[in-house]
Amino acid sequence: MNNIHMPFDEVLRQSPIGMAVINFDGTYEALNEVYCNIYGYTKAQMLGHCFTMVFKPEARASVLELHQRFLKTGGILGGEWEVQRADGTVLHVISESAQVPGIDGTMRRLVYVTDITTRKKIERDLEASHLFVHSVLDALPAQICVLDEKGIILSANSAWINFLISNGGNPEILLKQTSYLDLCKPDAKVTNKGSLEAELFYEKLLEVLAGDNNYFEIEYPSHLPDERRWFIARVTRIPSAEPPRIIVSHDNVTALKVAQVELHESLTFTRKLINSMQDGFTVLERNGRALEVNPALCRMTGFMDTELLRSGAGFPYWPQDENDQLQALLQRVLQGAEGEIEVSLIRKNGTRFPANMTFSCVKDENGYPINYIATIKDITERKRMEDDVHRLAFYDPLTNLPNRRLLHDRIEQSIAAGKRSGNHAALLMIDLDNFKPLNDNFGHDVGDLLLIEVASRLRSCVREIDTVARFGGDEFVVIISELQSESGNSKNQVTVIAEKIRNALCTPYMLPIQYDGKPEYIEHRCSASIGVALFNSHNTTETQVMKWADKAMYQAKDDGRNLIRFYVAPSLQ
């Protein structure tokens, strides 16, 4: 038989038996139309109310206690019940219960109810009209037979006879004094699950025949070669009947059993799928309280599932300063918009990590929002890669200074700033005077150490708003921004800064080397030739400024090195 996975709501809708889901407090959480029709209420009148509403007031406390004991300890909860319809009429039902886990991890009771009011009346009238009983029994879908106190089959309906035939029995046994005990006696040669139920049924039937028990029911498999089937057998001793009579009925619950198995398999598969996700996953109530979390979210945030589930803390990993942004996002999700946000979340140990969060809304059949679903992806590695790409594109990997590409952008920014403020700026082109001998004598590794130290000294000589860049090889560029509007004062300012740089770069360098496997230091002296281009925004381009500074720098080299030379733009002369 093919396995067909159906959502739980569809199982409820299609079930021919009254079904309801009841939480620990006794409140109806879900039910189908068949269940409502049995008791004469609408769904709206029952959902959210205690199931004891269908019992007489004096019985409600004890019934609720049985319900909660079942959810705590398990066992069996079922049988016949005398209940009241909405209009006050009394009816009899048979129910059975199963424990099912809710999405919050707590157990609910799944109850199956059949209205047996008609059958009860039949049982009471059985002795009064044997012919009437037979005609009514034959019209019932349940397989029913009547026994005396010795277990002899007195009568059976058509459904029971067909049931007997489908299981390989001979209907002629009804013409003889056949004991039901002979039919249901377990086969000692067979040891499987079905034989265990058969043995239990046999023992319980003996108790009812002896008068030690008035009722029991048991679920058992009765499979055919080409079909898997499940039945519920119920045995009832008719109270005060004389002579004693016992009713045995069998109900085919295959559809319900298959639906129950498929529901369990669907829930198990869904949970395995969620738990195997590499991204964090959580189901939330409308108030933000977590109902479900997966292991990936716990690993990601450092919180245990017990700390996240129904803790009342909402999002303990969500930064408080982003609460307004979260509420606005959830409101958009409720209105059907896309719900995605990039945020820095907080681990339990206080460290932060970048994450991408996607929200969606779960609605009931009426379109009312009931839950949020959120997936959380740790994007630390993606951010690191983006930073690495950005750094490789715009920064020198050796000195961590802006490279030529970023330098050009900074020059353009400085020119644009001058247009707004009317102030001058300066570009310093710096070339090291004694760098090549160091590379030739000690290798490029030591030369790299010198370049790193030069970068550090240059940064220490300027302000944060200024730019220090490596132009290439042993050439560096410094942009001095936000000078004064008057060219003479600006030149004086730059002269002070350039002299500070020249002196800093002239200070001897102590560079570590390896000699015979031991660390040693060499002292290296290195000066710098500095060319300065002072400019403002009038008819100035980035290319012109670079040419002016380069020309001034070569003038410093030609004049003897370790010097500062200015190239003043023609408009400033």
Side-chain angles (χ1 to χ4, degrees), residues 21-48:
V21 178
I22 306 171
N23 68 18
F24 184 82
D25 294 331
T27 304
Y28 287 117
E29 288 191 349
L31 37 76
N32 63 3
E33 291 293 339
V34 178
Y35 189 93
C36 295
N37 292 338
I38 289 174
Y39 296 106
Y41 290 96
T42 65
K43 276 189 177 182
Q45 290 172 323
M46 301 191 85
L47 282 173

Side-chain angles (χ1 to χ4, degrees), residues 138-174:
D138 282 343
L140 292 176
Q143 300 96 28
I144 298 174
C145 66
V146 181
L147 314 180
D148 65 14
E149 60 182 339
K150 295 181 180 179
I152 301 300
I153 301 173
L154 301 178
S155 62
N157 68 351
S158 298
W160 190 90
I161 295 173
N162 293 333
F163 173 68
L164 176 68
I165 295 172
S166 68
N167 284 279
N170 187 347
E172 293 183 1
I173 62 173
L174 297 176

Side-chain angles (χ1 to χ4, degrees), residues 277 279-284 297 300 315 317-318 326 329-330 332-334 337-343 345 354-362 371-379 382:
M277 291 172 60
D279 295 337
F281 177 89
T282 180
V283 179
L284 310 162
L297 181 60
M300 192 181 300
F315 288 105
Y317 43 85
W318 184 271
L326 174 63
L329 175 67
L330 296 180
R332 292 199 302 272
V333 172
L334 286 177
E338 292 292 328
E340 187 169 355
I341 188 172
E342 192 170 297
V343 67
L345 299 181
N356 181 273
M357 299 185 71
T358 304
F359 289 87
S360 59
C361 185
V362 179
N371 294 117
Y372 296 109
I373 292 178
T375 56
I376 301 96
K377 179 185 290 292
D378 186 340
I379 57 174
R382 192 190 81 187

Side-chain angles (χ1 to χ4, degrees), residues 3 27 54 132 151 303 307 320 361 372 454 468 481 488 513 548:
N3 287 327
T27 304
V54 301
F132 175 74
F303 290 94
E307 294 175 298
Q320 293 298 315
C361 185
Y372 296 109
V454 168
V468 178
S481 303
I513 64 170
W548 295 341

Side-chain angles (χ1 to χ4, degrees), residues 150 209 227 245 361 372 483:
K150 295 181 180 179
L209 293 175
E227 181 183 2
R245 292 292 181 263
C361 185
Y372 296 109
L483 297 172

